[in-house]
Amino acid sequence: AEEAAVRAQAETVRRLKQDKADPDEIAKEVSKLLEMKAQLGTDEGKHKFVLKTPKGTRDFGPKEMAIRERAFKAIISCFKRHGAEVIDTPVFELKETLTGKYGEDSKLIYDLKDQGGELLSLRYDLTVPFARYLAMNKITNIKRYHIAKVYRRDNPAMTRGRYREFYQCDFDIAGQFDPMIPDAECLKIVHEILSDLQLGDFVIKVNDRRILDGMFAVCGVPDSKFRTICSSVDKLDKMPWEEVRSEMVGEKGLSPEAADRIGEYVQLHGGLDLIERLLQDPKLSQNKLAKEGLGDMKLLFEYLTLFGITGKISFDLSLARGLDYYTGVIFEAVLLQQENEHVEEPVSVGSVAGGGRYDGLVGMFDPKGRKVPCVGVSIGIERIFSILEQRLEASEEKVRTTETQVLVASAQKKLLEERLKLISELWDAGIKAEMLYKKNPKLLNQLQYCEDTGIPLVAIVGEQELKDGVVKLRIVATREEVNVRRESLVEEIRIRTSQC
Amino acid sequence: AEEAAVRAQAETVRRLKQDKADPDEIAKEVSKLLEMKAQLGTDEGKHKFVLKTPKGTRDFGPKEMAIRERAFKAIISCFKRHGAEVIDTPVFELKETLTGKYGEDSKLIYDLKDQGGELLSLRYDLTVPFARYLAMNKITNIKRYHIAKVYRRDNPAMTRGRYREFYQCDFDIAGQFDPMIPDAECLKIVHEILSDLQLGDFVIKVNDRRILDGMFAVCGVPDSKFRTICSSVDKLDKMPWEEVRSEMVGEKGLSPEAADRIGEYVQLHGGLDLIERLLQDPKLSQNKLAKEGLGDMKLLFEYLTLFGITGKISFDLSLARGLDYYTGVIFEAVLLQQENEHVEEPVSVGSVAGGGRYDGLVGMFDPKGRKVPCVGVSIGIERIFSILEQRLEASEEKVRTTETQVLVASAQKKLLEERLKLISELWDAGIKAEMLYKKNPKLLNQLQYCEDTGIPLVAIVGEQELKDGVVKLRIVATREEVNVRRESLVEEIRIRTSQC
């Protein structure tokens, strides 16, 4: 009876996999299955460990890798177009390097076990390691990118591209420069990458921490509550204003009047016109920080106009960003729901890039507190992967996962040695070549392998061809076959696969 | 007085850095300096944490990255030439996934802190995660590569390229195939990569776990001592035979006679001739395992002869390899000291690649113990980085760390807007372009920036050029300047940098 239950559960898992169900659900059913099997206490007991990746992580198989590399290629080529160097840092840092940088999010940091030595944590982002790198090497001037995995003990939502191990693609400009020129370049980069990846319509929301702080001040938020009220504002992309307001007043003890004043500001969004209007705002214009921020925002919009990208930029007073270390401009790019006659206004389906200015972070690491102003952008690549994967699935396009140009095959038995000789010649000439690892494979199986994996050519050796000093080259797509002299084979393969 | 001591210590550090001393030594002196500073108790006290990367790890700056990417390019292009797909797995695994796979080396595994959830460990190599991936996805047939960092709490020797965080570049073939065909391909791959990277002369030592076990049996080693005696043999590349023998007899309780018999075998190395001789060896030829291993070794050498690479292969009975999971062929590539008249025999300067056959590992993960035979190779890239770095340093070749084709510059003031407009046009046309982030940079500074970073072209905008609808293009190397019509600029830059 119990065995029947196990079989039924196995069938459930099989069906879920076949239907490509939610991976979380599959994982749940698999773990249930394994538990049932373990309890059965058969000879399978010795293998009763759970066969899975850690919670919130996943493997990338060849297909996912092909998609991932496509996205990386677009991003890296943009970063290089803007003259960035590249760096890499260790996956873990001294625990104290990360301490005090992430505010409330610090609880999500992965620590390593104390195995007698330094106390270490996995990196939480690439920005803090970058600042540590600058301070440690006394670098005051660099434009670099860094693509690497970061780690957060967050609640994963893998179907929506939210993982505990995920890639960040960061581009940052460090150095003392004239205002808003590097900041404008960061926004240009986001615009280029999102356009290039053809993810659909998007908008880049922009704000400034100084405008936010000035706004809090004129609304009557006490200084000590700036950061925590800022965290509440940050939730406006996921919660309606009413809820955020009640968090401010209820949990955080803000006066209802102050909250209502904030409520009026945070619904504002627009372009140069809004900036001009706020520069005339009787309250904001009296606040030094807000005035500075608005002045820089105006300059930023002038530069973005020269770049021709203001059409996708929205100055949005509700944008706050969670992290503690921002000091100036902040921004976040969100994809809009595909246009649809039934939907009146485009709806945001999630953030795919974000960043901002953090002029104080490097100084936190420098023994003398010397500051290095920085601005940067982080591309949230996992969500982009999800979108590209879904799109590919829908398109039924076949993705090749290898670049093999030719399969070395034989039509008769006892030709393994000849195949080995030929493939070795091809490899040495730089041709991408495969063969089946069988002594006497059937020709049909060899041709089928090409069909399955998308190999465009087959080089067939046979008794007669060997005598004649030729190789039979078969074009898989057309089934055409031509005899090619052995000494011309490499050149012939190159020509026929030159578009690969 | 104490401040003077700090200054003296700072000077020591500065000098060591200037002299490019041993990084371990520099790190020691830096940490001493920081400690002295902290004890001084000045206002620097608030920044008294140690500014460093964790023990045994390092940052890769732009120069190191340029070298790293060169090496990766050679390796990846070889893996792709052999038709491999690519996968990636998480940096950590469930702790139990790694348990019982590494023998005595398990103590070097990094564990994560128990923060209430699964118990996790950082991966120790890429082979065990690969086997877990195969079993979990029921894959019985794949040829894949995987390039990623692995983690070992080993004693680092960073100047010799031994780190706690280091890259492995793995290529593996999984599946049930005819004997020694995939094994031969793995050796071909090592041969191709080491030749391609031009690391100097090398030899690939080959042996077989079955030959070793057969040898232990006929020498009179009790079954229970096979693995531990194998570990001793593994030390022969670092210790003389006398020491290894005394470990076998003293620590591991082997009889002196058995040790001496082993001593005779392990000094043997050669090619097909040696295999033939051992196949006739009155004792070995009686042992089933040894006979199987020798038979396969003969077949392997036949295939390697067809590949034309036996010149660099040495069948070496002293090769043992540390890891528990090998079951058949094992191999290791070592670089030989550059030929030198004063050195009589080439001396090995260290292992740069290794691998072997592990037919049982996937079965350890499969709930039903189903086996998937595997063979693979791992390229030890860190040591290769060290060699390439040293060579580059010696050659005084200048490495570019960006690919920027053109700097957008201005000869007069008040042209920031024109520079922004032009650079935006270039970016949108796919040209790699930079500009200085200054409103009014001096022309001299702009030209100097090109000299420093190797940018080959400068596009100079000026009042007159704007009127005439041209841009002045300066070739940095020759100082030649030509006026180019604005609409032809992109094409002109492409042509002039087409070799970049």
Side-chain angles (χ1 to χ4, degrees), chain B residues 480-497:
Chain B
E480 181 196 350
E481 291 185 347
V482 286
N483 278 342
V484 179
R485 292 213 58 76
R486 182 105 173 197
E487 58 271 25
S488 318
L489 183 62
V490 167
E491 191 52 27
E492 186 70 27
I493 294 171
R494 276 204 195 116
I495 292 167
R496 289 189 179 264
T497 56

Side-chain angles (χ1 to χ4, degrees), chain A residues 52 55 59-60 80 85 88 91 113 118 132 149 165 178 185 188 401 428 437 439, chain B residues 52 55 59-60 85 88 91 111 115 118 132 149 165 178 185 188 401 403 428 437 439:
Chain A
K52 66 185 282 294
K55 183 175 176 189
D59 295 320
F60 282 81
K80 286 189 173 174
E85 304 184 276
D88 193 20
V91 79
K113 191 164 140 185
E118 298 160 331
R132 192 266 307 145
K149 290 172 175 175
E165 171 184 63
D178 281 326
E185 185 170 3
K188 177 80 170 87
T401 53
D428 292 343
Y437 302 119
K439 268 172 103 158
Chain B
K52 66 186 283 292
K55 185 177 176 184
D59 295 319
F60 282 80
E85 305 183 274
D88 193 20
V91 79
D111 292 329
Q115 292 172 293
E118 298 161 330
R132 191 265 308 146
K149 289 172 176 177
E165 171 184 64
D178 281 326
E185 185 170 2
K188 177 81 170 87
T401 53
E403 297 175 9
D428 292 343
Y437 301 120
K439 269 171 104 158

Side-chain angles (χ1 to χ4, degrees), chain A residues 14 28 71 82 202 243 251 421 451:
Chain A
R14 203 193 53 74
K28 210 185 76 193
H82 287 260
F202 61 89
E243 279 179 50
E251 289 174 39
K421 257 206 290 213
E451 297 279 356

